[in-house]
Amino acid sequence: IGEYHLPNLRHVGAFATNGDRAIIVADVLEDAPQGFSCSQDCRAPQLKTAGLVQFSTSVMDEIELPALTTCKDFKVFYSTQLRRISAPLLDTAGYLQFEGNSVLTSVDFPKLATLDAISVAMNESLVDLSLPLANPGVAVGLSHMAKLETLSLPAMTGPSWDIVLDDQIRLQK
């Protein structure tokens, strides 16, 4: 396994990797308007904007995008070692989808205010999903998440939340 740095790649239409035997570090990548897609261990500490942000990896235990502020879609599928997703500055996303990440316990988007929809399914270890600033009217779909204890959304003002839960989820107000 090698670690490969891309020290001069600041702007790119689309960024994609494939395989699971390397660590790819896009040291200064700031913008990928068509997308940032990774199926191995990828790091982009300066990525600020992207179309689609997508991970499906069996080697990463954490996705951390500390500079990301805007993306069209953020999707994480069947990342079997993934325990944590963090994008502390993300404030705008169209669609969030997390599916089949069996050991995922933490999703951290504390500044996410503008969001169209979120779908979370088959993340059996996720206990807390907090979107404290999400705009009212977001469509929320949750299924096959037996350990979910906390779903935190802002108080409803104006339009109501559209929340779909399966029969395994028991939430209390």
Side-chain angles (χ1 to χ4, degrees):
I1 296 179
E3 183 168 310
Y4 301 94
H5 289 262
L6 305 169
N8 300 315
L9 185 64
R10 187 171 305 278
H11 305 281
V12 64
F15 180 93
T17 67
N18 194 4
D20 61 1
R21 306 303 288 166
I23 298 170
I24 306 296
V25 183
D27 302 279
V28 296
L29 180 63
E30 294 178 359
D31 183 42
Q34 294 175 9
F36 181 89
S37 180
C38 183
S39 64
Q40 58 193 28
D41 190 339
C42 297
R43 301 170 194 169
Q46 300 302 316
L47 183 64
K48 294 177 183 171
T49 61
L52 166 67
V53 174
Q54 179 172 293
F55 287 85
S56 182
T57 172
S58 62
V59 295
M60 292 181 74
D61 65 353
E62 178 177 59
I63 294 171
E64 189 163 6
L65 296 166
L68 185 67
T69 60
T70 304
C71 67
K72 183 177 181 238
D73 297 321
F74 196 121
K75 300 179 180 185
V76 181
F77 296 102
Y78 302 99
S79 294
T80 56
Q81 302 300 313
L82 185 64
R83 296 188 181 286
R84 181 174 178 263
I85 300 170
S86 176
L89 299 180
L90 182 64
D91 63 11
T92 302
Y95 180 61
L96 301 179
Q97 184 175 16
F98 308 118
E99 183 176 313
N101 306 296
S102 59
V103 297
L104 179 64
T105 58
S106 176
V107 175
D108 183 28
F109 298 131
K111 295 192 178 204
L112 186 59
T114 303
L115 175 65
D116 294 330
I118 180 169
S119 175
V120 184
M122 297 179 291
N123 297 282
E124 295 87 3
S125 298
L126 189 62
V127 295
D128 182 2
L129 180 60
S130 297
L131 301 170
L133 302 177
N135 51 300
V138 171
V140 178
L142 306 173
S143 67
H144 297 90
M145 298 182 28
K147 291 185 181 179
L148 186 66
E149 295 174 1
T150 305
L151 173 63
S152 176
L153 300 168
M156 286 187 246
T157 58
S160 64
W161 294 98
D162 180 10
I163 300 176
V164 178
L165 306 174
D166 73 8
D167 61 0
Q168 294 182 8
I169 298 173
R170 303 278 185 254
L171 298 175
Q172 297 180 10
K173 185 173 181 180

